[in-house]
Amino acid sequence: MTAWQRAPFQLFYWPFIQGRGEFIRLALEEAGAEYADVARMPESEGGGAKAIMAVLRDESLRPPPLMPPFLKTDGLVVAQTANILQYIAPRLGLVPEPLQARVAAHQLQLTVADFIGEAHDVHHPIAISLYYEDQAAEARRRAGHFVKERLPKFLGYFERVAARAADSGDDWLLGPSLSYVDLSVFQLMSGLSYAFPNTMAALGPEIPRLSELSRRVAERPRIAAYLASPRRLAFNEKDLFRHYPELDE
Amino acid sequence: MTAWQRAPFQLFYWPFIQGRGEFIRLALEEAGAEYADVARMPESEGGGAKAIMAVLRDESLRPPPLMPPFLKTDGLVVAQTANILQYIAPRLGLVPEPLQARVAAHQLQLTVADFIGEAHDVHHPIAISLYYEDQAAEARRRAGHFVKERLPKFLGYFERVAARAADSGDDWLLGPSLSYVDLSVFQLMSGLSYAFPNTMAALGPEIPRLSELSRRVAERPRIAAYLASPRRLAFNEKDLFRHYPELDE
């Protein structure tokens, strides 16, 4: 047994992208949790993408994950990003205690998930089995609608959520303490700003609270240290959020 | 206060489609729960799509729903289909007690949600603000990949989940008792069979357990009564699952 196999949280996600795994990395980092990013460990130590495939093929799991990210913890293999966050957040102190707040947090996280799916499909509107270049014309058409309709709709929604929190005197979306949803909104804002810089600059005045919330997340000591570390992968054009200038306004 | 406002479960969803609301209707029907399908009530009794809009505009909600379906119960407004099911299932007796089974159920339900999103975007690959006819060419291209790659991938996954349950001697996906995930898989199979009859007929031999599970769900007394009632809306081409012959194999 290598060291990472004793880590209380073992994250399995593709090693070269932020992707959906990043929402989980941010939660573990903010909490200062001891975790292994398994597929980024050397193959000689049981890491690499091979480690992901081994779990996907493990016939003893019920149910198996369909795809990464998934997390091994407590002897369980938990899949689906929002499900993982919901499961670990209480232990990490990243969600308020009352059931009502937990249901609200998960509702917001699932709305983040919907938005991420739409943002991904901007560069892959036809099939994930095709390269971007093979669906660039359709991507361009979809992007026109995404930046004009969907992006303002979703960000406008989260801005309203942030405004109501502020009106109640809360510093964060779910209350006086930071939750995993705040971290996810930061990641959403980061990814969109990378992928659609012109659109996001133009939209800036309409989403002041989201911009300010993202800045405050980035300044949290553990998040700031993480973002400056080699553990934070750079955005790139194999990732969920991709910068293709022709898809931006 | 009209009668429906006293119902312990008040579902808010578009009145003319099954859509995502149907996953919740099936759970409430199977449990024999007393519920109001609010937007299908007459406007004179506070129903109609107006009732949905009134909640979406209610500035006291924190957070507000972004879109239907949402459910009023316990004095809460809960949104996001999978979140609603997770919240009500314990009370309806539609999920096993152990935490591990609940996490597994939700993981599967979120995978159903991913699949539904992809199935929807087959007929709307460019924008939901456009008619199908205005994106029919792109839809046709996407459909080719969906029926050959994505549909077999997702259904093959759920077939494996069903096989492992059967290997453990369980009648249903999560154990000896039916859960909300079984109901959702039934709805998925029904919708796909309506939208892609040729593809589903060809795929039939590879998913015998899913077909059998769907039949057993349809034969449950309360589900059978529901499906034969006017409460079950017919599939149609404004809905999530649409039958356009040119998108089927």
Side-chain angles (χ1 to χ4, degrees):
Chain A
M1 186 182 262
T2 54
W4 67 261
Q5 291 173 308
R6 282 185 288 269
F9 299 99
Q10 297 163 22
L11 174 65
F12 291 71
Y13 194 64
W14 306 121
F16 305 117
I17 59 172
Q18 294 184 17
R20 287 176 172 81
E22 195 67 11
F23 296 88
I24 299 157
R25 291 189 185 112
L26 285 167
L28 294 166
E29 292 281 348
E30 168 61 24
E34 188 193 338
Y35 75 99
D37 203 338
V38 178
R40 292 173 71 187
M41 316 287 293
E43 276 196 19
S44 59
E45 294 173 26
K50 270 189 178 174
I52 294 175
M53 300 315 294
V55 177
L56 294 179
R57 292 187 187 124
D58 179 351
E59 295 190 2
S60 74
L61 292 173
R62 193 178 157 201
L66 175 58
M67 57 186 94
F70 48 85
L71 189 79
K72 280 196 181 184
T73 188
D74 298 340
L76 296 181
V77 177
V78 183
Q80 283 282 355
T81 310
N83 194 41
I84 296 168
L85 288 168
Q86 175 178 247
Y87 184 74
I88 62 175
R91 214 183 342 160
L92 301 182
L94 287 176
V95 69
E97 187 69 37
L99 177 63
Q100 176 168 357
R102 294 188 175 186
V103 172
H106 195 55
Q107 174 181 318
L108 291 174
Q109 190 65 38
L110 290 176
T111 305
V112 168
D114 286 346
F115 191 14
I116 291 168
E118 293 199 18
H120 171 274
D121 283 5
V122 169
H123 54 75
H124 275 72
I126 300 300
I128 63 164
S129 60
L130 296 175
Y131 290 111
Y132 167 68
E133 289 71 19
D134 296 324
Q135 52 195 314
E138 292 93 341
R140 207 155 171 160
R141 195 171 172 216
R142 180 167 174 135
H145 290 275
F146 180 76
V147 301
K148 282 194 187 61
E149 298 161 11
R150 305 304 286 173
L151 201 149
K153 179 187 173 85
F154 276 96
L155 290 186
Y157 170 74
F158 286 109
E159 179 73 14
R160 287 199 302 283
V161 173
R164 288 189 199 174
D167 290 348
S168 303
D170 286 330
D171 280 344
W172 303 100
L173 294 177
L174 271 300
S177 301
L178 174 137
S179 75
Y180 66 90
V181 182
D182 298 298
L183 298 171
S184 292
V185 167
F186 157 78
Q187 177 63 11
L188 199 54
M189 291 287 288
S190 305
L192 293 170
S193 299
Y194 171 79
F196 305 100
N198 297 335
T199 302
M200 289 296 280
L203 202 63
E206 291 170 47
I207 50 171
R209 286 189 174 82
L210 293 185
S211 304
E212 195 260 344
L213 181 137
S214 295
R215 271 195 303 276
R216 282 191 290 124
V217 168
E219 287 165 3
R220 309 266 300 181
R222 283 173 174 156
I223 295 297
Y226 168 64
L227 296 177
S229 79
R231 298 195 300 288
R232 171 77 164 187
L233 294 160
F235 285 112
N236 65 71
E237 279 58 57
K238 300 285 178 190
D239 209 328
L240 203 163
F241 295 107
R242 302 188 186 185
H243 179 53
Y244 295 123
E246 63 273 23
L247 302 186
D248 194 11
E249 272 203 320
Chain B
M1 188 181 262
T2 55
W4 67 261
Q5 290 172 308
R6 282 185 288 271
F9 298 98
Q10 297 164 21
L11 174 66
F12 291 72
Y13 194 65
W14 305 123
F16 305 117
I17 60 172
Q18 294 184 17
R20 287 177 171 80
E22 196 68 11
F23 296 88
I24 299 157
R25 291 189 185 111
L26 285 166
L28 294 166
E29 292 281 348
E30 168 62 24
E34 188 192 337
Y35 76 99
D37 203 340
V38 178
R40 292 173 70 186
M41 315 288 292
E43 275 195 20
S44 59
E45 293 173 26
K50 272 187 178 177
I52 294 175
M53 299 315 294
V55 177
L56 293 180
R57 292 187 187 123
D58 179 350
E59 295 189 5
S60 75
L61 293 173
R62 195 179 154 199
L66 175 58
M67 58 186 94
F70 47 85
L71 188 80
K72 279 195 182 184
T73 189
D74 298 338
L76 295 182
V77 177
V78 183
Q80 283 283 355
T81 309
N83 194 41
I84 295 168
L85 288 168
Q86 175 178 246
Y87 183 75
I88 63 176
R91 213 183 341 161
L92 301 181
L94 287 176
V95 70
E97 187 68 36
L99 178 62
Q100 176 168 359
R102 293 187 175 185
V103 172
H106 197 54
Q107 174 182 318
L108 291 173
Q109 190 65 38
L110 290 177
T111 306
V112 168
D114 286 345
F115 192 14
I116 290 168
E118 293 199 19
H120 171 275
D121 283 5
V122 169
H123 53 75
H124 275 72
I126 301 300
I128 63 166
S129 61
L130 296 176
Y131 290 111
Y132 166 68
E133 289 71 19
D134 296 324
Q135 52 195 312
E138 293 92 341
R140 206 154 171 161
R141 195 170 172 217
R142 181 168 173 134
H145 290 274
F146 180 77
V147 302
K148 282 195 185 62
E149 297 161 11
R150 305 303 287 171
L151 201 149
K153 178 187 173 84
F154 276 95
L155 290 186
Y157 170 74
F158 285 109
E159 180 73 15
R160 288 200 301 282
V161 173
R164 288 189 198 174
D167 290 348
S168 303
D170 286 330
D171 280 345
W172 302 99
L173 293 177
L174 272 301
S177 301
L178 173 137
S179 75
Y180 67 88
V181 182
D182 298 298
L183 298 171
S184 292
V185 167
F186 157 78
Q187 177 63 12
L188 200 54
M189 291 287 288
S190 304
L192 293 169
S193 299
Y194 171 79
F196 305 101
N198 297 337
T199 302
M200 289 297 281
L203 201 64
E206 291 170 46
I207 50 170
R209 286 189 174 83
L210 293 186
S211 305
E212 196 259 344
L213 180 137
S214 295
R215 272 195 301 276
R216 282 192 289 125
V217 168
E219 287 165 3
R220 308 266 300 180
R222 283 174 174 154
I223 296 296
Y226 169 64
L227 297 177
S229 78
R231 297 194 301 287
R232 170 77 164 187
L233 294 161
F235 285 112
N236 65 72
E237 278 59 55
K238 299 285 179 193
D239 209 329
L240 202 162
F241 295 107
R242 302 187 185 185
H243 179 53
Y244 295 122
E246 64 273 23
L247 302 186
D248 193 11
E249 273 204 320

